[in-house]
Amino acid sequence: KGIGKKKLEKTRQTDYIGAVCSAPNEEHPCVIFEHLGGRTNEAIHKMLDGFTPAVLMSDAYASYDSYCEQHPKIRQQNCIVHWRREMLDAVNIDSLTKSLTAKTEEEAIQKATQQAFKNPAIFQLCCVLKGIGKIYGYEKTVKKEKDESREAYLKRILENRQEHAKPLMDDIDIVMKSLADKYTKIGENGSYKVDGKYGQLGKAIVYYMNRRDKLRLFLTDPEVPLDSNAVERCVRAVAVLRKSCDFKQTVAYTEALCTVLSLTETAKANGIISPVTWLTDFARAVFIHRAEKTLTRLVREKGRSLDLKLKTFDKDSYDGFDITPYLPWNYVKDHPEVTKQSDKTDAEDKQA
């Protein structure tokens, strides 16, 4: 008759998991996954309320914009990679490559010149894409040096961005504004709108023009990344599981999955190769602390024999446990071996 069974709430056929992670240069990197249930403003706002970030790095989804509008103190940086994708769609690289196929260098130059005059907007977008590539190139030249303080490192990042990225972004802005004058129109609220006859080209230009300031915050704040690649990497595991788990599992399963993903991705962000080792050490320390505290009370109050098996812990036995050594950024300092995969583990992985 179903005795002992509990009806579990099923996820919807299309469900959503949200992920929030700290910026790449943070001293204490952390990743949090949450079951959202949907992509509504209410669901996303509720998730973000638990963090109240100083800066929100995101794509251009409207819910992130509305959240920042409700919290004026939160600054916003839009992902440059997402903007770049819009321009790549407008350029249609595959089609452009085929049109420039040539047998000789002279023929290729001639075709490129003809293409530029035939569609100057595409040529200008290609120049913008080249400029973005240079920005990323300059960004990679700044590496944290051994024993360098965080303040000194951030100072060098800012100086590098001001010297190289800012002039490039200023030139890009000039190009995009000139394109906007020709291929977009301005709506009643002052925002740019797509002129229907220009399709993806107009969409790519509008994407930039309506987010100009949100694409430039990284120029004045060295702690702000250029893109959301850090969180995109964290959600790859979800993308792999998506087809098999979206509608076949329960809400309880999804929430448990979020906990596991949060722990493993936070471990990886801190350089812990084996999250299981870290979590096992933590669980062992908690067990010993709770057992000792429970046994101490039982011996003092009831004269309990230490030979008897301990079946339960006192409810308050966790009180007083020092979690500090097991925070991932502290644990990795005290256990450098967890940042390197052992030869034994490598052999086991190959055998598996």
Side-chain angles (χ1 to χ4, degrees), residues 11-17 33 232-250 253-262 264-265 268:
T11 61
R12 298 178 302 176
Q13 185 167 352
T14 300
D15 213 339
Y16 293 91
I17 289 177
F33 284 81
E232 295 283 349
R233 287 190 291 269
C234 292
V235 300
R236 284 176 183 170
V238 178
V240 173
L241 290 170
R242 181 169 49 197
K243 290 184 179 180
S244 60
C245 295
D246 242 2
F247 60 94
K248 296 178 182 178
Q249 304 295 344
T250 64
Y253 172 94
T254 305
E255 290 175 347
L257 175 65
C258 287
T259 300
V260 172
L261 289 171
S262 297
T264 55
E265 292 299 325
K268 286 164 59 179

Side-chain angles (χ1 to χ4, degrees), residues 265-320:
E265 292 299 325
T266 296
K268 286 164 59 179
N270 284 274
I272 299 176
I273 299 298
S274 176
V276 173
T277 302
W278 164 51
L279 294 174
T280 299
D281 286 351
F282 169 71
R284 184 183 294 111
V286 172
F287 179 91
I288 293 173
H289 175 85
R290 298 193 70 179
E292 289 179 346
K293 195 165 184 178
T294 301
L295 284 171
T296 299
R297 183 190 66 79
L298 291 174
V299 170
R300 288 177 177 175
E301 296 181 4
K302 299 184 178 182
R304 183 187 188 281
S305 172
L306 295 178
D307 294 333
L308 298 177
K309 185 177 181 179
L310 183 63
K311 296 182 178 180
T312 60
F313 295 129
D314 289 346
K315 291 182 178 180
D316 62 350
S317 60
Y318 183 79
D319 294 349

Side-chain angles (χ1 to χ4, degrees), residues 35 41 45 60 97 121 150 155 180 183 244 253 271:
H35 173 234
N41 282 352
H45 290 194
T97 301
R150 176 174 169 78
K155 181 181 179 182
Y183 299 101
S244 60
Y253 172 94

Side-chain angles (χ1 to χ4, degrees), residues 104-122:
T104 64
E105 183 178 333
E106 291 75 14
E107 185 181 354
I109 293 174
Q110 183 180 4
K111 284 190 174 184
T113 304
Q114 292 172 351
Q115 190 72 20
F117 283 111
K118 181 180 178 181
N119 196 341
I122 298 301

Side-chain angles (χ1 to χ4, degrees), residues 179-197:
L179 290 172
D181 292 338
K182 299 177 182 178
Y183 299 101
T184 67
K185 54 186 179 181
I186 300 179
E188 295 179 358
N189 61 353
S191 63
Y192 287 80
K193 299 179 67 176
V194 177
D195 192 328
K197 62 183 178 180

Side-chain angles (χ1 to χ4, degrees), residues 56-275:
L56 179 63
M57 157 60 72
S58 69
D59 58 22
Y61 189 55
S63 292
Y64 301 126
D65 293 336
S66 63
Y67 181 77
C68 290
E69 288 172 2
Q70 294 179 16
H71 300 79
K73 291 184 179 180
I74 297 178
R75 297 175 296 157
Q76 191 175 8
Q77 168 75 38
N78 278 165
C79 175
I80 289 181
V81 168
H82 281 80
W83 163 44
R84 181 175 176 272
R85 288 174 190 165
E86 292 290 335
M87 292 193 293
L88 286 171
D89 288 342
V91 171
N92 194 343
I93 292 295
D94 291 337
S95 176
L96 185 61
T97 301
K98 291 179 181 179
S99 69
L100 295 177
T101 301
K103 295 181 179 180
T104 64
E105 183 178 333
E106 291 75 14
E107 185 181 354
I109 293 174
Q110 183 180 4
K111 284 190 174 184
T113 304
Q114 292 172 351
Q115 190 72 20
F117 283 111
K118 181 180 178 181
N119 196 341
I122 298 301
F123 174 74
Q124 288 175 290
L125 284 186
C126 287
C127 293
V128 171
L129 288 168
K130 184 68 174 178
I132 293 175
K134 286 187 175 182
I135 290 173
Y136 273 90
Y138 284 121
E139 190 75 7
K140 291 179 180 179
T141 62
V142 185
K143 303 290 184 182
K144 194 174 188 301
E145 298 175 356
K146 187 178 180 180
D147 299 328
E148 183 180 26
S149 68
R150 176 174 169 78
E151 292 73 18
Y153 177 51
L154 292 175
K155 181 181 179 182
R156 288 198 300 114
I157 292 177
L158 181 59
E159 291 173 347
N160 181 70
R161 290 179 178 180
Q162 286 289 307
E163 180 180 358
H164 301 293
K166 187 179 182 303
L168 285 166
M169 285 297 291
D170 290 343
D171 290 341
I172 287 172
D173 190 59
I174 293 172
V175 173
M176 296 303 291
K177 284 194 290 186
S178 68
L179 290 172
D181 292 338
K182 299 177 182 178
Y183 299 101
T184 67
K185 54 186 179 181
I186 300 179
E188 295 179 358
N189 61 353
S191 63
Y192 287 80
K193 299 179 67 176
V194 177
D195 192 328
K197 62 183 178 180
Y198 294 118
Q200 183 59 38
L201 172 62
K203 184 180 177 182
I205 298 169
V206 166
Y207 188 100
Y208 172 82
M209 293 304 297
N210 287 337
R211 295 170 178 81
R212 289 168 60 202
D213 293 338
K214 296 174 184 176
L215 288 165
R216 295 174 62 93
L217 179 60
F218 78 97
L219 296 174
T220 56
D221 190 337
E223 293 185 286
V224 175
L226 279 66
D227 52 51
S228 58
N229 284 355
V231 76
E232 295 283 349
R233 287 190 291 269
C234 292
V235 300
R236 284 176 183 170
V238 178
V240 173
L241 290 170
R242 181 169 49 197
K243 290 184 179 180
S244 60
C245 295
D246 242 2
F247 60 94
K248 296 178 182 178
Q249 304 295 344
T250 64
V251 170
Y253 172 94
T254 305
E255 290 175 347
L257 175 65
C258 287
T259 300
V260 172
L261 289 171
S262 297
L263 290 169
T264 55
E265 292 299 325
T266 296
K268 286 164 59 179
N270 284 274
I272 299 176
I273 299 298
S274 176

